[in-house]
Amino acid sequence: METTALSIKHIAQMYCVNGKCFADLYRNKLSGYAQWCERELGSGFYFNAVNIGPYMSLDETCLSNGEVWTFLTNKDGHGGRGTLAAAIPGTKSDEIISILIGAMGKTLRRKVREVTCDLSSPMMLIAAEVFYNAHVVNDRFHVQQVYNEAVDEIRVDIRRQLISEDNARDKSVPPVTYSNGETMRQILARSKHTLMMSQNKWTDIQRHRANILFRHYPILKDAYRLAMELRSIFNSKISPAKAMGKLNNWYEKVSALANNNFRSVINTFKNHAPTILNYFRRRATNASAEAFNSKVKIFRSQMRGVRDRDFFIFRLVKLYA
């Protein structure tokens, strides 16, 4: 059952107590924050060895005003108590590696078998250096997102070209409308999400629009087909060795499209092939870390922002560590 977090001031108002006075009383006396801050956050970061398990996740979250923290979370915590293992300010890999190695002995670091993260180079370096005995896994959804962004760049490029041509045409002649009542500019503008979805989730309107689009722009049809093929590979319960063969075949098809927008896709698969293939060992994703980040953002919103950073971390620890 979902519970809604209430601010201290809100609780005070329910009992007709001065909100600011009660908030100050809770922070400085009732909560034990001062002792905790000196004991747990005295070095500028939070770490809890008890919450280190075999399956961990690494991700970064912006707390406020562009201040980014790195969070190490335990998948076995399932987003509740026992989830948050470390909260460290910044994303500099060398500093975070030094902090985590200093906080953990080799025995504890060897306990971790798998670490999931996105395609961020600092996160991957931290995972590999600190948890040297673990498999580093790139989140499949971030990998798919790289390809989806390349497909969308093709759509945007085509639309820009049409806009340029439309600006130069004779305005006395009305634009061509297709069987669904839309112009090609409208079809392209409204097809962004359609190109990210499986065909079986399309509505009749989306299917009609996509058929017109693919008939006039075969490159988008081929790119969409390969997007669905990549999704199918990731959905398959196969070994890393078999996945490597399928991904190599898929990679050759992407290269054959010979479109400059796919350079980032090609570079991603060249640079991260081993960590991408590690997904097929346990089919682990970074979804738990993304869910934790969402909870942090919701909590931040409920608290109307982060005015006192250390106290905010204290409350996160009480909820999730």
Side-chain angles (χ1 to χ4, degrees), residues 57 59 118 139 142 286-295 297:
S57 296
D59 208 352
D118 55 23
D139 181 58
H142 284 85
N286 214 34
S288 61
E290 299 292 343
F292 180 78
N293 285 350
S294 296
K295 290 183 177 182
K297 292 173 183 176

Side-chain angles (χ1 to χ4, degrees), residues 57-223:
S57 296
L58 262 175
D59 208 352
E60 56 194 41
T61 302
C62 182
L63 292 187
S64 65
N65 299 322
E67 186 178 9
V68 181
W69 278 56
T70 297
F71 290 100
L72 177 66
T73 53
N74 187 338
K75 291 182 184 297
D76 292 335
H78 303 293
R81 293 280 180 90
T83 295
L84 182 60
I88 305 170
T91 59
K92 288 185 179 179
S93 55
D94 54 346
E95 293 180 2
I96 295 172
I97 289 170
S98 177
I99 288 171
L100 288 176
I101 289 178
M104 288 184 282
K106 285 189 175 182
T107 302
L108 188 58
R109 290 159 60 197
R110 279 198 301 268
K111 180 181 178 181
V112 180
R113 302 179 197 168
E114 182 180 81
V115 182
T116 59
C117 58
D118 55 23
L119 291 166
S120 166
S121 296
M123 295 297 107
M124 294 175 64
L125 181 60
I126 293 165
E129 290 290 325
V130 176
F131 305 109
Y132 56 90
N133 198 43
H135 295 294
V136 179
V137 182
N138 283 138
D139 181 58
R140 61 165 284 187
F141 298 108
H142 284 85
V143 176
Q144 290 177 240
Q145 184 180 3
V146 171
Y147 183 81
N148 290 338
E149 287 173 352
V151 175
D152 194 55
E153 286 173 7
I154 297 174
R155 180 191 66 84
V156 171
D157 288 345
I158 294 173
R159 188 165 184 269
R160 284 174 179 165
Q161 180 62 32
L162 282 182
I163 291 173
S164 178
E165 294 173 0
D166 194 41
N167 290 336
R169 73 173 177 82
D170 183 0
K171 295 300 186 293
S172 62
V173 180
V176 176
T177 57
Y178 293 85
S179 55
N180 66 342
E182 298 173 339
T183 65
M184 186 53 72
R185 280 179 58 178
Q186 290 172 329
I187 290 173
L188 284 162
R190 297 165 184 173
S191 296
K192 178 176 181 178
H193 297 294
T194 303
L195 294 174
M196 308 299 164
M197 299 165 58
S198 298
Q199 289 188 31
N200 58 9
K201 294 183 179 179
W202 284 350
T203 64
D204 291 340
I205 294 174
Q206 288 173 323
R207 183 171 288 101
H208 191 179
R209 187 180 291 139
N211 288 336
I212 297 171
L213 186 64
F214 291 161
R215 186 164 63 249
H216 287 82
Y217 298 102
I219 180 63
L220 280 174
K221 182 178 182 179
D222 293 337

